[in-house]
Amino acid sequence: MSYGTSPHDYVSRAERCLQQNDPRYLFYAAFELRCAVEARMQQYLESWEHVSKKQKEGWEIKKLGSATERAFKTGDRVMRWRIDDEHETLAVLYYTPITRKLRSNAERLGDYLHAPKKHHSEGVWWSDFRALLEEMISQLRIATTGTLMGPALMKGNKIHMSTEVPPGTNLDQIYRHGATMTVHVDYLEELPATLETEAVVWK
């Protein structure tokens, strides 16, 4: 039996659960989304040597959030890394963080993932639960779009980057021998609604 454990796998399964017309699938979706948040932050932390082993092995949302904030110091901002040669844009890479709001939503799932003290037959409880899950899926679609595993960091006079790109992605155009390249770095309040055609992202 195959059960993928990447953030993208968790989000895909959660989306399929929400398509089912059965209340029990909301709880399955909640589990998948909780795992997606944890897996994405663990993925970010695992990619960097300056993050301690203890921090990389964590699973609690609050502790993982604190670790990523200490590691990157960029808050909820999105990092855009655009590479140009003398004539055109070669590639655009993004770092899309797990935001404080998404972490807060993931912690709220605990309100639903316990044996209830009373039977929830009323529609409000169920509709609020579904609304939370749908909001998290929307947030996670953004958080799992980027291919940079954290913002590019300076170490001495060198820039360190870590990426995870979709299968079949060809980045050879970035490494043109002898070409003069310019890098533009921007910190954005949110991911642009329309991405560049050169953007290397997960869809």
Side-chain angles (χ1 to χ4, degrees), residues 101-135:
K101 177 60 175 176
L102 176 50
R103 299 199 305 263
S104 175
N105 281 344
E107 292 182 311
R108 284 180 59 198
L109 292 177
D111 296 338
Y112 297 91
L113 298 180
H114 295 288
K117 294 183 178 179
K118 63 178 181 177
H119 179 62
H120 294 292
S121 59
E122 69 275 12
V124 174
W125 189 91
W126 291 102
S127 61
D128 287 348
F129 189 14
R130 175 176 282 275
L132 173 60
L133 299 176
E134 290 175 344
E135 181 180 14

Side-chain angles (χ1 to χ4, degrees), residues 156-177:
N157 60 352
K158 294 183 179 180
I159 296 175
H160 291 250
M161 297 173 61
S162 178
T163 62
E164 181 202 53
V165 299
T169 302
N170 183 3
L171 295 180
D172 289 345
Q173 73 273 20
I174 298 178
Y175 307 106
R176 296 178 182 176
H177 182 69

Side-chain angles (χ1 to χ4, degrees), residues 32-88:
E32 299 286 2
L33 292 174
R34 167 85 188 204
C35 288
V37 172
E38 292 176 18
R40 189 58 163 172
M41 287 194 286
Q42 289 169 343
Q43 191 179 45
Y44 286 153
L45 295 172
E46 187 63 38
S47 300
W48 296 93
E49 293 182 355
H50 72 285
V51 177
S52 71
K53 182 179 179 181
K54 182 178 180 181
Q55 290 174 325
K56 292 179 180 180
E57 292 176 346
W59 58 269
E60 296 176 67
I61 299 293
K62 189 179 295 291
K63 291 182 179 179
L64 287 171
S66 296
T68 55
E69 289 189 358
R70 286 196 300 272
F72 305 138
K73 298 179 175 63
T74 55
D76 289 346
R77 290 180 297 172
V78 171
M79 181 186 199
R80 178 170 57 197
W81 181 271
R82 194 183 85 223
I83 305 169
D84 298 341
D85 68 4
E86 297 173 345
H87 309 288
E88 61 182 335

